[in-house]
Amino acid sequence: MSGNIIEVSGLEHRYGDFAAVDGISFTVEEGEIFSFLGPNGAGKSTAINVLTTLLRLQKGSARVAGFDVAAEPSKVRASIGIVFQEVTLDRDMTCWEILEFHGCLYRMPHKERRSRIDELLDLVELEGKRDTLTKHLSGGMKRRLEIARGLMTRPRVLFLDEPTIGLDPQTRMRMWEYIKSVNEEGTTIFLTTHYMDEADQLSDRISIIDHGRIIATGRTWELKNMLGEDLIYLETSDNVIAGTALRGMEEVTDIQEKSKGFVALVNQDGTHLLPRIMETLQGKGIRIHTVNLKKPSMDDVFVHFTGRELREEGAESPAAAHSRAIRR
């Protein structure tokens, strides 16, 4: 790492009276994979659009690759690559033509442009599709081509806005491999996602964002450790009395209610503590119907900091996302 490549302070963006981004501040270190994790409508795409100069900076300050987003937008754009949430490929151009056109837009020298196209088609395993029209590519191939296009100018930062949305699990995992390989070559990755496993598997650091505000930031293990060492899920004959009883134990750091039971966050090895918990509840005449012991996950982290599960927000359809982008 060699310092911060993105620095944001007090960033705010409003649509009328609605604060899509509500005074956020954060930094991204050069060479890392940094993720915004949050539900649709949390402000992720708005923030990324400001940082990539697609939206005007309204309030606060932001620097990308050493350049001020408001004062030096052209220099910012020359330093970054972008893969949008919606597919933005021309359906009647081939893979090679897409990359050639992008290189020409950025006035890349002919020899460098042709060499880079060959290099990138090989990187994303599309060398056999160089003369195939993009309308004949699968969803995963299109995303890989968009990543290749974003890398044409060797950007210092690659912005990926929900890069695996709509892809099947196997294709998503392959996409993760491509993203990691790009990062290993030295490109800083700024990722937005509402997939817990994606943020967990890819990120060096994560910022949880909800209602336009950053709630928590840290490495995955740091965020999980904030919850404690283990989580114990219980369903009992009286969850209210059981939860109250366990709150009195010094090893229990928090109790979170669920639809049918509750989760006890504990600060020591749950396998050693569980017998005491069961003895405590049985001593109060409470029957235990279900018990489950596990390590904290990113789902648990999100619930802990936001008070609800991410999937409750629902996923935005591509059509709705496209309409929203046009309105903006």
Tab-separated table of all heavy atoms in Angstrom, residues 111-150:
chain	number	residue	atom	x	y	z
A	111	LYS	N	-0.419	1.153	-31.947
A	111	LYS	CA	0.311	-0.058	-31.553
A	111	LYS	C	-0.040	-0.474	-30.136
A	111	LYS	O	-0.263	-1.658	-29.848
A	111	LYS	CB	1.815	0.188	-31.687
A	111	LYS	CG	2.657	-1.058	-31.452
A	111	LYS	CD	4.133	-0.776	-31.715
A	111	LYS	CE	4.966	-2.026	-31.499
A	111	LYS	NZ	6.416	-1.769	-31.744
A	112	GLU	N	-0.086	0.505	-29.231
A	112	GLU	CA	-0.427	0.208	-27.834
A	112	GLU	C	-1.866	-0.305	-27.728
A	112	GLU	O	-2.157	-1.227	-26.958
A	112	GLU	CB	-0.264	1.462	-26.980
A	112	GLU	CG	-0.639	1.264	-25.512
A	112	GLU	CD	-0.660	2.559	-24.723
A	112	GLU	OE1	-0.258	3.603	-25.281
A	112	GLU	OE2	-1.097	2.525	-23.552
A	113	ARG	N	-2.748	0.293	-28.509
A	113	ARG	CA	-4.162	-0.082	-28.469
A	113	ARG	C	-4.356	-1.537	-28.885
A	113	ARG	O	-5.032	-2.305	-28.202
A	113	ARG	CB	-4.942	0.843	-29.406
A	113	ARG	CG	-6.435	0.782	-29.252
A	113	ARG	CD	-7.086	1.913	-30.018
A	113	ARG	NE	-6.956	1.796	-31.461
A	113	ARG	CZ	-6.336	2.678	-32.247
A	113	ARG	NH1	-5.790	3.767	-31.724
A	113	ARG	NH2	-6.271	2.505	-33.558
A	114	ARG	N	-3.735	-1.931	-29.995
A	114	ARG	CA	-3.886	-3.299	-30.493
A	114	ARG	C	-3.270	-4.310	-29.529
A	114	ARG	O	-3.833	-5.380	-29.295
A	114	ARG	CB	-3.248	-3.421	-31.883
A	114	ARG	CG	-3.902	-2.528	-32.933
A	114	ARG	CD	-5.371	-2.887	-33.123
A	114	ARG	NE	-6.118	-1.936	-33.921
A	114	ARG	CZ	-6.165	-1.947	-35.259
A	114	ARG	NH1	-5.498	-2.842	-35.951
A	114	ARG	NH2	-6.903	-1.045	-35.891
A	115	SER	N	-2.147	-3.975	-28.967
A	115	SER	CA	-1.492	-4.866	-28.004
A	115	SER	C	-2.339	-5.031	-26.750
A	115	SER	O	-2.474	-6.148	-26.217
A	115	SER	CB	-0.110	-4.300	-27.647
A	115	SER	OG	0.479	-5.042	-26.605
A	116	ARG	N	-2.928	-3.930	-26.308
A	116	ARG	CA	-3.747	-3.967	-25.093
A	116	ARG	C	-5.017	-4.786	-25.318
A	116	ARG	O	-5.453	-5.518	-24.425
A	116	ARG	CB	-4.103	-2.535	-24.679
A	116	ARG	CG	-4.846	-2.409	-23.344
A	116	ARG	CD	-4.001	-2.886	-22.194
A	116	ARG	NE	-4.628	-2.587	-20.904
A	116	ARG	CZ	-4.321	-3.215	-19.772
A	116	ARG	NH1	-3.400	-4.166	-19.771
A	116	ARG	NH2	-4.925	-2.887	-18.656
A	117	ILE	N	-5.613	-4.683	-26.489
A	117	ILE	CA	-6.821	-5.455	-26.792
A	117	ILE	C	-6.521	-6.948	-26.700
A	117	ILE	O	-7.272	-7.713	-26.080
A	117	ILE	CB	-7.368	-5.092	-28.186
A	117	ILE	CG1	-7.947	-3.672	-28.177
A	117	ILE	CG2	-8.454	-6.096	-28.613
A	117	ILE	CD1	-8.352	-3.170	-29.555
A	118	ASP	N	-5.421	-7.377	-27.321
A	118	ASP	CA	-5.056	-8.794	-27.282
A	118	ASP	C	-4.810	-9.251	-25.843
A	118	ASP	O	-5.241	-10.333	-25.431
A	118	ASP	CB	-3.795	-9.037	-28.121
A	118	ASP	CG	-4.045	-8.888	-29.611
A	118	ASP	OD1	-5.222	-8.985	-30.024
A	118	ASP	OD2	-3.074	-8.663	-30.360
A	119	GLU	N	-4.137	-8.400	-25.080
A	119	GLU	CA	-3.811	-8.721	-23.690
A	119	GLU	C	-5.083	-8.880	-22.853
A	119	GLU	O	-5.213	-9.825	-22.057
A	119	GLU	CB	-2.929	-7.601	-23.120
A	119	GLU	CG	-2.550	-7.755	-21.674
A	119	GLU	CD	-1.762	-6.557	-21.167
A	119	GLU	OE1	-1.171	-5.829	-22.007
A	119	GLU	OE2	-1.746	-6.340	-19.943
A	120	LEU	N	-6.049	-7.975	-23.042
A	120	LEU	CA	-7.267	-7.990	-22.225
A	120	LEU	C	-8.227	-9.105	-22.630
A	120	LEU	O	-8.866	-9.722	-21.777
A	120	LEU	CB	-7.962	-6.629	-22.303
A	120	LEU	CG	-7.243	-5.505	-21.570
A	120	LEU	CD1	-7.890	-4.160	-21.870
A	120	LEU	CD2	-7.234	-5.756	-20.064
A	121	LEU	N	-8.348	-9.370	-23.923
A	121	LEU	CA	-9.202	-10.477	-24.364
A	121	LEU	C	-8.688	-11.799	-23.802
A	121	LEU	O	-9.472	-12.686	-23.448
A	121	LEU	CB	-9.268	-10.531	-25.888
A	121	LEU	CG	-10.099	-9.431	-26.567
A	121	LEU	CD1	-9.982	-9.526	-28.085
A	121	LEU	CD2	-11.563	-9.509	-26.139
A	122	ASP	N	-7.371	-11.908	-23.693
A	122	ASP	CA	-6.781	-13.108	-23.095
A	122	ASP	C	-7.063	-13.148	-21.596
A	122	ASP	O	-7.407	-14.200	-21.043
A	122	ASP	CB	-5.264	-13.134	-23.353
A	122	ASP	CG	-4.604	-14.366	-22.784
A	122	ASP	OD1	-4.903	-15.476	-23.264
A	122	ASP	OD2	-3.796	-14.228	-21.842
A	123	LEU	N	-6.948	-11.985	-20.933
A	123	LEU	CA	-7.160	-11.906	-19.483
A	123	LEU	C	-8.564	-12.359	-19.106
A	123	LEU	O	-8.741	-13.114	-18.135
A	123	LEU	CB	-6.937	-10.473	-18.989
A	123	LEU	CG	-7.304	-10.203	-17.523
A	123	LEU	CD1	-6.337	-10.917	-16.582
A	123	LEU	CD2	-7.312	-8.701	-17.229
A	124	VAL	N	-9.571	-11.907	-19.856
A	124	VAL	CA	-10.965	-12.229	-19.512
A	124	VAL	C	-11.489	-13.439	-20.294
A	124	VAL	O	-12.687	-13.700	-20.336
A	124	VAL	CB	-11.893	-11.013	-19.724
A	124	VAL	CG1	-11.479	-9.872	-18.827
A	124	VAL	CG2	-11.912	-10.575	-21.185
A	125	GLU	N	-10.561	-14.160	-20.938
A	125	GLU	CA	-10.881	-15.411	-21.631
A	125	GLU	C	-11.949	-15.222	-22.705
A	125	GLU	O	-12.895	-15.993	-22.826
A	125	GLU	CB	-11.312	-16.486	-20.628
A	125	GLU	CG	-10.228	-16.831	-19.633
A	125	GLU	CD	-10.649	-17.926	-18.651
A	125	GLU	OE1	-11.711	-18.536	-18.862
A	125	GLU	OE2	-9.921	-18.157	-17.684
A	126	LEU	N	-11.773	-14.165	-23.501
A	126	LEU	CA	-12.680	-13.918	-24.612
A	126	LEU	C	-11.935	-13.866	-25.941
A	126	LEU	O	-12.474	-13.370	-26.942
A	126	LEU	CB	-13.438	-12.598	-24.402
A	126	LEU	CG	-14.512	-12.579	-23.312
A	126	LEU	CD1	-15.076	-11.177	-23.143
A	126	LEU	CD2	-15.636	-13.573	-23.628
A	127	GLU	N	-10.701	-14.381	-25.969
A	127	GLU	CA	-9.934	-14.326	-27.209
A	127	GLU	C	-10.634	-15.087	-28.338
A	127	GLU	O	-10.530	-14.720	-29.510
A	127	GLU	CB	-8.509	-14.863	-26.996
A	127	GLU	CG	-8.417	-16.334	-26.588
A	127	GLU	CD	-8.541	-16.552	-25.096
A	127	GLU	OE1	-8.902	-15.614	-24.365
A	127	GLU	OE2	-8.277	-17.686	-24.659
A	128	GLY	N	-11.393	-16.128	-27.978
A	128	GLY	CA	-12.124	-16.892	-28.986
A	128	GLY	C	-13.405	-16.210	-29.444
A	128	GLY	O	-14.078	-16.695	-30.354
A	129	LYS	N	-13.765	-15.085	-28.792
A	129	LYS	CA	-14.997	-14.357	-29.119
A	129	LYS	C	-14.707	-12.965	-29.696
A	129	LYS	O	-15.619	-12.145	-29.794
A	129	LYS	CB	-15.853	-14.198	-27.860
A	129	LYS	CG	-16.297	-15.511	-27.214
A	129	LYS	CD	-17.360	-16.205	-28.042
A	129	LYS	CE	-17.877	-17.438	-27.340
A	129	LYS	NZ	-18.930	-18.135	-28.132
A	130	ARG	N	-13.480	-12.732	-30.112
A	130	ARG	CA	-13.082	-11.377	-30.521
A	130	ARG	C	-13.949	-10.856	-31.673
A	130	ARG	O	-14.217	-9.658	-31.764
A	130	ARG	CB	-11.597	-11.322	-30.872
A	130	ARG	CG	-11.185	-12.206	-32.013
A	130	ARG	CD	-9.667	-12.206	-32.224
A	130	ARG	NE	-9.194	-10.887	-32.592
A	130	ARG	CZ	-8.244	-10.228	-31.950
A	130	ARG	NH1	-7.686	-10.753	-30.870
A	130	ARG	NH2	-7.850	-9.045	-32.359
A	131	ASP	N	-14.411	-11.727	-32.566
A	131	ASP	CA	-15.204	-11.285	-33.708
A	131	ASP	C	-16.694	-11.593	-33.547
A	131	ASP	O	-17.463	-11.539	-34.517
A	131	ASP	CB	-14.680	-11.952	-34.993
A	131	ASP	CG	-13.243	-11.539	-35.299
A	131	ASP	OD1	-12.926	-10.347	-35.113
A	131	ASP	OD2	-12.444	-12.407	-35.703
A	132	THR	N	-17.110	-11.892	-32.305
A	132	THR	CA	-18.518	-12.188	-32.022
A	132	THR	C	-19.249	-10.918	-31.615
A	132	THR	O	-18.741	-10.122	-30.823
A	132	THR	CB	-18.632	-13.217	-30.874
A	132	THR	OG1	-17.958	-14.423	-31.265
A	132	THR	CG2	-20.089	-13.524	-30.552
A	133	LEU	N	-20.443	-10.695	-32.171
A	133	LEU	CA	-21.249	-9.542	-31.778
A	133	LEU	C	-21.653	-9.685	-30.313
A	133	LEU	O	-21.977	-10.784	-29.848
A	133	LEU	CB	-22.508	-9.435	-32.645
A	133	LEU	CG	-22.299	-9.173	-34.140
A	133	LEU	CD1	-23.638	-9.184	-34.870
A	133	LEU	CD2	-21.582	-7.846	-34.361
A	134	THR	N	-21.672	-8.580	-29.586
A	134	THR	CA	-21.942	-8.658	-28.146
A	134	THR	C	-23.355	-9.164	-27.852
A	134	THR	O	-23.603	-9.734	-26.795
A	134	THR	CB	-21.753	-7.283	-27.475
A	134	THR	OG1	-22.674	-6.352	-28.022
A	134	THR	CG2	-20.333	-6.780	-27.680
A	135	LYS	N	-24.297	-8.991	-28.800
A	135	LYS	CA	-25.653	-9.475	-28.560
A	135	LYS	C	-25.726	-10.994	-28.508
A	135	LYS	O	-26.720	-11.560	-28.047
A	135	LYS	CB	-26.615	-8.933	-29.617
A	135	LYS	CG	-26.338	-9.375	-31.038
A	135	LYS	CD	-27.313	-8.693	-31.990
A	135	LYS	CE	-27.009	-9.004	-33.447
A	135	LYS	NZ	-27.910	-8.259	-34.359
A	136	HIS	N	-24.650	-11.653	-28.951
A	136	HIS	CA	-24.613	-13.117	-28.924
A	136	HIS	C	-23.822	-13.654	-27.730
A	136	HIS	O	-23.624	-14.861	-27.621
A	136	HIS	CB	-24.007	-13.656	-30.216
A	136	HIS	CG	-24.797	-13.315	-31.450
A	136	HIS	ND1	-26.168	-13.505	-31.522
A	136	HIS	CD2	-24.416	-12.792	-32.641
A	136	HIS	CE1	-26.598	-13.120	-32.714
A	136	HIS	NE2	-25.568	-12.673	-33.411
A	137	LEU	N	-23.386	-12.775	-26.835
A	137	LEU	CA	-22.622	-13.196	-25.656
A	137	LEU	C	-23.564	-13.500	-24.497
A	137	LEU	O	-24.649	-12.932	-24.386
A	137	LEU	CB	-21.654	-12.088	-25.224
A	137	LEU	CG	-20.581	-11.645	-26.220
A	137	LEU	CD1	-19.751	-10.522	-25.610
A	137	LEU	CD2	-19.685	-12.818	-26.621
A	138	SER	N	-23.133	-14.377	-23.611
A	138	SER	CA	-23.880	-14.644	-22.380
A	138	SER	C	-23.721	-13.467	-21.430
A	138	SER	O	-22.858	-12.585	-21.641
A	138	SER	CB	-23.362	-15.915	-21.704
A	138	SER	OG	-22.036	-15.708	-21.227
A	139	GLY	N	-24.537	-13.443	-20.370
A	139	GLY	CA	-24.442	-12.356	-19.394
A	139	GLY	C	-23.066	-12.268	-18.763
A	139	GLY	O	-22.509	-11.170	-18.586
A	140	GLY	N	-22.489	-13.411	-18.427
A	140	GLY	CA	-21.159	-13.415	-17.822
A	140	GLY	C	-20.090	-12.913	-18.768
A	140	GLY	O	-19.174	-12.183	-18.371
A	141	MET	N	-20.186	-13.287	-20.045
A	141	MET	CA	-19.224	-12.808	-21.043
A	141	MET	C	-19.314	-11.298	-21.216
A	141	MET	O	-18.291	-10.614	-21.369
A	141	MET	CB	-19.479	-13.501	-22.387
A	141	MET	CG	-19.105	-14.963	-22.429
A	141	MET	SD	-19.501	-15.698	-24.037
A	141	MET	CE	-18.998	-17.396	-23.751
A	142	LYS	N	-20.539	-10.773	-21.195
A	142	LYS	CA	-20.714	-9.321	-21.318
A	142	LYS	C	-20.054	-8.593	-20.161
A	142	LYS	O	-19.415	-7.553	-20.348
A	142	LYS	CB	-22.200	-8.969	-21.388
A	142	LYS	CG	-22.878	-9.389	-22.683
A	142	LYS	CD	-24.376	-9.104	-22.646
A	142	LYS	CE	-25.055	-9.561	-23.933
A	142	LYS	NZ	-26.528	-9.367	-23.890
A	143	ARG	N	-20.205	-9.117	-18.951
A	143	ARG	CA	-19.585	-8.475	-17.789
A	143	ARG	C	-18.065	-8.529	-17.893
A	143	ARG	O	-17.368	-7.566	-17.563
A	143	ARG	CB	-20.043	-9.154	-16.490
A	143	ARG	CG	-21.511	-9.017	-16.190
A	143	ARG	CD	-21.990	-7.572	-16.305
A	143	ARG	NE	-22.101	-6.913	-15.035
A	143	ARG	CZ	-22.307	-5.612	-14.881
A	143	ARG	NH1	-22.420	-4.842	-15.939
A	143	ARG	NH2	-22.397	-5.071	-13.691
A	144	ARG	N	-17.551	-9.644	-18.371
A	144	ARG	CA	-16.102	-9.767	-18.542
A	144	ARG	C	-15.594	-8.790	-19.590
A	144	ARG	O	-14.530	-8.162	-19.429
A	144	ARG	CB	-15.737	-11.203	-18.911
A	144	ARG	CG	-15.738	-12.128	-17.710
A	144	ARG	CD	-16.124	-13.547	-18.028
A	144	ARG	NE	-15.400	-14.146	-19.136
A	144	ARG	CZ	-15.742	-15.296	-19.711
A	144	ARG	NH1	-16.800	-15.955	-19.276
A	144	ARG	NH2	-15.031	-15.790	-20.696
A	145	LEU	N	-16.368	-8.621	-20.674
A	145	LEU	CA	-15.981	-7.665	-21.711
A	145	LEU	C	-16.005	-6.247	-21.160
A	145	LEU	O	-15.132	-5.425	-21.486
A	145	LEU	CB	-16.906	-7.800	-22.909
A	145	LEU	CG	-16.631	-6.845	-24.085
A	145	LEU	CD1	-15.209	-7.027	-24.610
A	145	LEU	CD2	-17.655	-7.066	-25.203
A	146	GLU	N	-16.986	-5.939	-20.305
A	146	GLU	CA	-17.056	-4.601	-19.719
A	146	GLU	C	-15.879	-4.340	-18.796
A	146	GLU	O	-15.360	-3.218	-18.735
A	146	GLU	CB	-18.381	-4.422	-18.980
A	146	GLU	CG	-19.572	-4.327	-19.925
A	146	GLU	CD	-20.850	-3.932	-19.223
A	146	GLU	OE1	-21.199	-4.562	-18.219
A	146	GLU	OE2	-21.499	-2.977	-19.692
A	147	ILE	N	-15.439	-5.358	-18.081
A	147	ILE	CA	-14.246	-5.201	-17.253
A	147	ILE	C	-13.028	-4.944	-18.134
A	147	ILE	O	-12.196	-4.071	-17.842
A	147	ILE	CB	-14.036	-6.445	-16.365
A	147	ILE	CG1	-15.070	-6.463	-15.237
A	147	ILE	CG2	-12.626	-6.464	-15.774
A	147	ILE	CD1	-14.960	-7.655	-14.309
A	148	ALA	N	-12.927	-5.695	-19.239
A	148	ALA	CA	-11.817	-5.474	-20.168
A	148	ALA	C	-11.831	-4.045	-20.704
A	148	ALA	O	-10.790	-3.377	-20.777
A	148	ALA	CB	-11.901	-6.474	-21.320
A	149	ARG	N	-13.015	-3.561	-21.074
A	149	ARG	CA	-13.132	-2.185	-21.572
A	149	ARG	C	-12.699	-1.180	-20.503
A	149	ARG	O	-12.004	-0.204	-20.791
A	149	ARG	CB	-14.567	-1.905	-22.005
A	149	ARG	CG	-14.771	-0.510	-22.570
A	149	ARG	CD	-16.193	-0.294	-23.045
A	149	ARG	NE	-17.164	-0.428	-21.956
A	149	ARG	CZ	-18.478	-0.329	-22.128
A	149	ARG	NH1	-18.982	-0.127	-23.334
A	149	ARG	NH2	-19.292	-0.455	-21.104
A	150	GLY	N	-13.109	-1.432	-19.246
A	150	GLY	CA	-12.728	-0.535	-18.160
A	150	GLY	C	-11.229	-0.509	-17.899
A	150	GLY	O	-10.703	0.457	-17.337
